[in-house]
Every structure is written in structure tokens, then in C-alpha cells.
Amino acid sequence: MDNKIRLDIVTPHGLVLSEDVDEITATGSEGEFGVLPGHVPFITTLKIGMLIVKKDNKTDFVFVNSGYAEVTSGKVIILADSAERAGDIDVERAKAAMKRAEERLQQADRVDFGRATAAIERATIRIQIAEKKVTR
Ligand code: ATP
């Protein structure tokens, strides 16, 4: 498959996706980056964000929690703390997680600010993807 990229998304909870695709856009720690077949090899860390996956004129969105991406010319491996395809996101669960984190932030004296804001970020992006508020 010369002009495809094998995309594997692996988390401690299992293999989320393993597919031959045309183009991938990811949220690296240094910013968004795109991968087409034949890309030069590199490794980067990923922020909480989304993966945009193009295949046969179809675009899919995948939520990706922090992790790593390893790019080689025909393959991208994403190792993430957690990840879900758009259709697997439970919006009510994300809304509940958001509410819990917001309530924690109200307890200003005892709150782990970084942890609460990361939970809000995860929930926000999950909701955007699941409710199709993202387009490309
Ligand atoms: P929660 O507080 O609801 O657990 P979280 O952001 O802390 O949210 P993670 O630690 O990112 O959750 O993920 C734990 C597991 O639960 C992973 O397998 C992840 O894919 C799954 N998961 C978390 N939130 C959702 C969701 N809204 N929809 C579907 N799966 C989810």
C-alpha cells in the first residue's frame, strides 16, 4: 500500500484503531502537524486534542489524550493515555466529568489546578467531537 499510511492508536485500555489511511493531522505539543505517505521519520509528544483522519474522501475525528506519536514513512503509531473514535464517545459521561472538574475548581484552597483544567480540556474536546462541532 504505497500511498496509504498505517495508523495504529494504542492505549493502556486497548487498540483503538488500526487502519490504512490517506492523511493524518494531530495535535503535537509544538502545534498541529500533518502526515502524508512518505513523511520523514520523527517522534513527538501529543497534547490533549483530536486526530483528524482522512481516508477515501471521508474524514473521521478521534479524541486523543496526551501521549506520543511515532512517524515513519508508511506508518504512524499513536501511544496515548486514552483515545476514542467519535462514535464511541459518551457525551453524558464527558459532561459529568466536566461538571466534577468545574466543581473542584470552585474549592479554590484544595484544588489541583492542573489536574482539574486537564479534565475540563478532555471533556471539552470529547463533547466537540461527539457533537460534531468540529469540521475539516
Ligand atoms: P472520566 O472522569 O469520565 O473517567 P477521564 O477524562 O478522566 O474521564 P480517561 O482517564 O481519559 O477518562 O479515560 C479512562 C477510560 O475511559 C479510557 O478507556 C477512555 O477511553 C474512557 N473514557 C473516558 N471518558 C469517556 C467518554 N466520555 N466516552 C467514552 N469513553 C470514555
Side-chain angles (χ1 to χ4, degrees):
M1 286 258 200
D2 278 352
N3 45 5
K4 294 273 182 192
I5 313 160
R6 167 52 61 113
L7 171 63
D8 285 343
I9 305 178
V10 185
T11 77
H13 312 281
L15 181 68
V16 173
L17 189 145
S18 183
E19 235 173 70
D20 290 318
V21 305
D22 297 312
E23 185 181 344
I24 299 155
T25 306
T27 317
S29 305
E30 309 292 321
E32 198 177 270
F33 63 90
V35 179
L36 289 166
H39 199 292
V40 290
F42 75 104
I43 293 180
T44 185
T45 49
L46 298 174
K47 286 200 295 196
I48 295 167
M50 65 178 176
L51 213 67
I52 304 163
V53 182
K54 294 195 176 169
K55 182 185 178 180
D56 304 333
N57 296 321
K58 204 173 139 271
T59 304
D60 286 326
F61 298 92
V62 182
F63 168 77
V64 177
N65 198 349
S66 326
Y68 297 89
E70 182 186 31
V71 177
T72 51
S73 87
K75 188 162 181 164
V76 173
I77 302 172
I78 307 279
L79 296 172
D81 294 342
S82 52
E84 303 101 42
R85 306 176 77 142
D88 294 327
I89 295 174
D90 178 340
V91 177
E92 291 314 311
R93 177 174 171 173
K95 286 182 177 168
M98 168 101 76
K99 188 160 174 277
R100 278 198 307 278
E102 283 171 348
E103 283 166 0
R104 257 179 264 132
L105 284 177
Q106 303 299 317
Q107 305 164 343
D109 51 338
R110 288 183 291 125
V111 71
D112 179 339
F113 186 78
R115 194 172 155 189
T117 50
I120 289 174
E121 236 182 296
R122 289 195 298 275
T124 302
I125 296 171
R126 280 178 168 130
I127 293 165
Q128 284 172 352
I129 294 174
E131 294 187 341
K132 299 195 171 29
K133 287 179 181 152
V134 289
T135 51
R136 272 303 167 111

